[in-house]
Amino acid sequence: MLETKLTRKLKVQYPLIQAPMAGGPTTPELVAAVSNAGGMGSLGAGYLSPDQIRIAIKEIRRLTDRPFGVNLFVFEEPNPLNDDIEGMNDYLNKYRAELGIASSPPIPQPAESFEEQVNVLLEEDIPVFSFTFGIPSTGVIQAFKRQGTIVIGTATTVEEGIRLEEAGVDAVVAQGSEAGGHRGTFATNAADALIGTMALVPQMVDALSIPIIASGGIMDGRGLAASLVLGASAVQMGTAFLTSAESGAHAAHKQKIVTSTEDATEVTFAYSGKAARGIRTEFMDDMRFYEGTIPDYPIQNVLTRDIRQAATRASNPEFMSLWAGQGLRLAKEQQAAAEIVKQTVEQARIVIGDLGRGV
Amino acid sequence: MLETKLTRKLKVQYPLIQAPMAGGPTTPELVAAVSNAGGMGSLGAGYLSPDQIRIAIKEIRRLTDRPFGVNLFVFEEPNPLNDDIEGMNDYLNKYRAELGIASSPPIPQPAESFEEQVNVLLEEDIPVFSFTFGIPSTGVIQAFKRQGTIVIGTATTVEEGIRLEEAGVDAVVAQGSEAGGHRGTFATNAADALIGTMALVPQMVDALSIPIIASGGIMDGRGLAASLVLGASAVQMGTAFLTSAESGAHAAHKQKIVTSTEDATEVTFAYSGKAARGIRTEFMDDMRFYEGTIPDYPIQNVLTRDIRQAATRASNPEFMSLWAGQGLRLAKEQQAAAEIVKQTVEQARIVIGDLGRGV
């Protein structure tokens, strides 16, 4: 039932992957609930330390014996010469004053060591490793494959998909322009890589021989069925699970999602220095004047961290990063993740069945 | 077979509308070929004079007795106070020099009279009237409906769709961000109205009670089937027919489409003062420096007309408007329009049938 070449490979019941959402939403409870319901949960571990990753994996395993994925950010060395870090930090002090936090600039820390994160995943022998923002070395990809871990990359253009297949991944997420959160773009500039899911998926399917996972704007069984019809072997859904009961997203973030319309988001560099889609905030609007001077990821991400954390404590959504896709009117409030999986699969069966009878 | 509530209303065989593409591509031969093949052809008449429209309609009727549509641009009064028309014209002289045409600024002419265009369509008693860029007066909509003409509006957001339904249209084209050519946006700014087809269609279907026509990135039977699964009652395909044998698009435009990839387009105001998606050109790249100073549609459209015409005569695509959607890798060269209809419908049946058996 709804079996595809990818569900067989992943050993899951349904072609439905809960998107890895770094920064809090993908609690072990959410990941396990999706996997237990027959989909595949994913831990967004990009911002987690090696120890935090190990603890989360152990907790997921305590809650489910089904397959799950862990997602990392492929580390890129930023070019600090391009960036006016001090200027941006001075500018950000305005928000720090507004939020009542210290204005002493935080010193940019190196990103979590990708190598150490990878080592934990290899030691824990996870079922599925997914990644975004680039392509890890052949050594890393092969190390996972040797121990039987399925490897999934993220592409926002066909060319990126081709490079991922050449690098040896088992499947590729085709991230359409509708998708919430960070863009996986790595081989072109962010503006050129905003291809709608309806256009991106069939072109990726034609160009690659490995399974394609459709993502971006998919919120229910209609989106799942449409993606399979386009040739995808599964879907990845983020926003739909971000407002689930098990999601660790802040209540103000969930509230904004369930009360916003499809035109409420835009792609911004303001929070992290990397393109990401989120619900428009005062901070995004302000930062538009600084376009072109925002330091690269991960520097800007480090610079805005204290602001985002203070906004979170104050439940002030205007300075939080409210990542979300364009399917906002379809978001449901605090539904159990298992229920989302069940309803999505049931609706997909119904719409496919109805149409099949008419053909 | 593939019958929907809209195919019954339109009295056509297949839920497949050839998009009205103003400015040349939609020859009477193309419109009639699509209608004769069981889809519905549409004449893009936005730039045509009342006489030209009448001649084209008579020619379409000579070639087919099946239903067809005629599309107009709802006229908006531009605000010339906002615009530095002389400054733009001076700037454009650079291109006129390059193309060897007179540098005397053309005097902006009023747009074709919407009222006179409408009167021809009423006199000719056309089967289907579609429009974009806004909502005509209730008087106009009701005049068409009284004589049995089906009226179709264009929306890029759910809110625009709701307003169109309230205005009394029979169906709404949901124009996703993937779509080539001019954006139909009229109730918000163009940047906020770039919603991917996968996200836009189900949200529009849920909010409206009239049939929805999916458009944007749909190039083949997979796109048709996916749109029906999302709840659409038909699709509208433009780029797929722009390269057909019957299309009047310039050979250089067709050539660019069949040789470009999905990431080759962007949304620009450069040619007309209104947002439109086309393949990137030297002219678009240059004009990016003038963002914010480009006069509103239709003024900029008039100002650049001689440049576009000279580029067309010189077969120089870099100064032509190469409107195209994001499904470029799926475009086929000089296929007969009837063959495109047939293959699209057949492929839709196959993918739906295949999936239906697996459910």
Side-chain angles (χ1 to χ4, degrees):
Chain A
M1 301 293 262
L2 291 180
E3 209 181 82
T4 69
K5 54 185 171 178
L6 190 62
T7 58
R8 286 187 289 271
K9 201 174 187 91
L10 294 173
K11 300 190 178 72
V12 299
Q13 212 172 342
Y14 306 126
L16 199 177
I17 298 173
Q18 163 254 312
M21 297 173 278
T26 59
T27 60
E29 290 72 23
L30 174 58
V31 175
V34 173
S35 290
N36 281 333
M40 191 186 87
S42 316
L43 178 73
Y47 299 134
L48 301 183
S49 70
D51 279 352
Q52 289 172 317
I53 294 174
R54 199 184 301 274
I55 292 167
I57 292 173
K58 288 194 191 305
E59 181 62 11
I60 293 166
R61 285 203 155 120
R62 202 181 59 78
L63 298 169
T64 186
D65 55 5
R66 307 272 188 103
F68 63 91
V70 180
N71 183 275
L72 294 183
F73 295 157
V74 177
F75 184 68
E76 287 170 82
E77 199 64 55
N79 186 349
L81 294 175
N82 287 339
D83 300 326
D84 178 10
I85 297 178
E86 260 181 74
M88 178 53 66
N89 224 348
D90 284 351
Y91 173 66
L92 292 173
N93 278 336
K94 177 173 103 176
Y95 302 102
R96 296 191 177 103
E98 197 170 332
L99 290 159
I101 55 176
S103 68
S104 60
I107 298 147
Q109 297 294 315
E112 297 303 337
S113 158
F114 181 67
E115 202 181 320
E116 288 174 42
Q117 290 175 318
V118 162
N119 284 339
V120 173
L121 303 192
L122 287 168
E123 284 164 24
E124 291 294 327
D125 195 12
I126 56 167
V128 178
F129 167 54
S130 70
F131 58 86
T132 187
F133 299 173
I135 309 181
S137 68
T138 309
V140 167
I141 293 176
Q142 289 311 319
F144 280 108
K145 292 187 76 168
R146 265 196 306 277
Q147 61 185 42
T149 298
I150 309 290
V151 178
I152 300 175
T154 307
T156 60
T157 64
V158 174
E159 176 59 31
E160 289 176 349
I162 291 169
R163 293 201 203 174
L164 284 162
E165 177 164 14
E166 284 168 359
V169 305
D170 296 296
V172 169
V173 174
Q175 188 187 31
S177 59
E178 294 94 330
H182 279 99
R183 310 281 314 146
T185 307
F186 62 89
T188 183
N189 68 67
D192 295 348
L194 288 168
I195 318 298
T197 304
M198 181 70 85
L200 182 60
V201 170
Q203 295 181 86
M204 193 92 82
V205 166
D206 287 351
L208 274 61
S209 61
I210 52 176
I212 302 302
I213 300 158
S215 85
I218 302 161
M219 294 289 287
D220 61 18
R222 293 174 291 185
L224 168 55
S227 300
L228 297 178
V229 159
L230 290 174
S233 297
V235 295
Q236 186 166 281
M237 290 165 58
T239 310
F241 288 106
L242 202 143
T243 55
S244 67
E246 294 89 343
S247 156
H250 192 285
H253 187 177
K254 291 183 176 182
Q255 192 55 28
K256 273 282 188 179
I257 289 179
V258 297
T259 55
S260 294
T261 53
E262 81 290 353
D263 51 352
T265 73
E266 72 180 51
V267 174
T268 185
F269 288 80
Y271 290 102
S272 67
K274 200 180 252 301
R277 184 178 291 285
I279 296 173
R280 261 184 301 281
T281 60
E282 203 181 308
F283 183 71
M284 275 160 70
D285 285 344
D286 279 11
M287 291 292 288
R288 216 172 287 140
F289 296 103
Y290 290 80
E291 252 172 41
T293 69
I294 297 175
D296 282 352
Y297 177 88
I299 294 171
Q300 180 72 356
N301 196 53
V302 176
L303 293 180
T304 65
R305 187 174 293 159
D306 59 337
I307 293 170
R308 288 178 282 124
Q309 286 172 345
T312 300
R313 283 192 302 273
S315 289
N316 180 348
E318 294 305 323
F319 299 96
M320 292 166 58
S321 51
L322 305 175
W323 302 143
Q326 292 186 319
L328 290 167
R329 288 178 192 256
L330 303 172
K332 300 210 176 81
E333 204 166 350
Q334 290 289 103
Q335 213 172 15
E339 194 55 32
I340 296 173
V341 173
K342 191 175 156 227
Q343 285 184 6
T344 302
V345 168
E346 273 174 13
Q347 190 186 21
R349 282 178 178 150
I350 290 168
V351 294
I352 294 168
D354 284 354
L355 205 59
R357 276 186 293 279
V359 181
Chain B
M1 302 295 260
L2 291 180
E3 210 180 78
T4 69
K5 55 184 171 179
L6 190 62
T7 59
R8 287 187 289 273
K9 201 176 188 93
L10 294 173
K11 300 190 179 70
V12 297
Q13 211 173 341
Y14 306 125
L16 198 177
I17 299 172
Q18 162 254 311
M21 297 173 277
T26 61
T27 60
E29 290 72 24
L30 174 57
V31 175
V34 172
S35 290
N36 282 332
M40 191 186 88
S42 317
L43 178 73
Y47 298 133
L48 300 183
S49 70
D51 279 351
Q52 289 173 318
I53 294 175
R54 200 183 301 273
I55 293 167
I57 291 173
K58 289 195 191 302
E59 182 62 12
I60 293 166
R61 284 202 155 122
R62 201 181 61 78
L63 298 170
T64 187
D65 55 4
R66 307 273 187 101
F68 62 92
V70 181
N71 182 276
L72 294 182
F73 295 155
V74 177
F75 184 67
E76 287 169 84
E77 199 65 53
N79 186 349
L81 295 176
N82 288 339
D83 298 327
D84 178 12
I85 297 178
E86 260 182 75
M88 178 54 66
N89 224 349
D90 284 352
Y91 172 66
L92 293 174
N93 279 337
K94 176 173 105 177
Y95 301 103
R96 296 190 177 104
E98 196 170 333
L99 289 160
I101 54 176
S103 68
S104 60
I107 298 146
Q109 297 295 315
E112 296 303 337
S113 158
F114 181 67
E115 203 181 318
E116 288 174 41
Q117 290 176 319
V118 162
N119 284 338
V120 174
L121 302 192
L122 287 168
E123 284 163 24
E124 292 294 328
D125 195 11
I126 56 166
V128 177
F129 167 54
S130 70
F131 58 85
T132 185
F133 298 174
I135 309 182
S137 68
T138 309
V140 167
I141 292 176
Q142 290 309 320
F144 279 109
K145 293 186 76 167
R146 266 197 305 277
Q147 60 185 41
T149 298
I150 308 290
V151 179
I152 300 176
T154 307
T156 61
T157 64
V158 174
E159 176 58 30
E160 289 176 349
I162 290 169
R163 293 201 202 174
L164 285 163
E165 178 165 14
E166 284 168 359
V169 304
D170 296 296
V172 169
V173 173
Q175 188 186 32
S177 59
E178 294 94 328
H182 280 99
R183 309 283 313 147
T185 307
F186 62 89
T188 183
N189 69 67
D192 295 349
L194 289 167
I195 318 297
T197 304
M198 180 70 84
L200 183 61
V201 170
Q203 295 181 86
M204 194 92 83
V205 166
D206 287 351
L208 274 62
S209 61
I210 52 176
I212 302 302
I213 300 159
S215 85
I218 301 162
M219 295 289 287
D220 61 17
R222 292 173 291 184
L224 168 55
S227 299
L228 297 177
V229 159
L230 290 174
S233 297
V235 295
Q236 187 166 280
M237 290 165 56
T239 310
F241 287 105
L242 202 144
T243 56
S244 69
E246 293 90 343
S247 155
H250 192 285
H253 187 177
K254 291 183 176 183
Q255 193 54 29
K256 273 282 190 182
I257 288 179
V258 297
T259 56
S260 293
T261 53
E262 81 289 353
D263 51 353
T265 74
E266 72 180 48
V267 174
T268 185
F269 289 79
Y271 290 101
S272 68
K274 200 181 252 299
R277 184 178 291 286
I279 295 172
R280 259 184 301 281
T281 59
E282 203 180 310
F283 184 72
M284 276 160 69
D285 284 345
D286 279 10
M287 291 292 288
R288 214 170 291 140
F289 296 103
Y290 291 79
E291 252 172 40
T293 69
I294 297 175
D296 281 353
Y297 178 89
I299 295 172
Q300 180 73 356
N301 197 53
V302 175
L303 293 181
T304 66
R305 188 174 291 159
D306 60 337
I307 294 171
R308 288 179 283 124
Q309 286 171 345
T312 301
R313 285 192 301 272
S315 290
N316 181 349
E318 295 305 323
F319 299 94
M320 293 166 57
S321 52
L322 306 174
W323 303 144
Q326 292 186 319
L328 290 167
R329 288 177 192 256
L330 304 172
K332 299 209 174 84
E333 203 166 349
Q334 291 291 99
Q335 214 171 15
E339 192 56 30
I340 296 173
V341 173
K342 192 176 153 222
Q343 285 184 6
T344 301
V345 168
E346 273 175 12
Q347 191 186 20
R349 283 178 177 150
I350 290 169
V351 294
I352 293 167
D354 283 353
L355 205 57
R357 275 186 293 280
V359 180

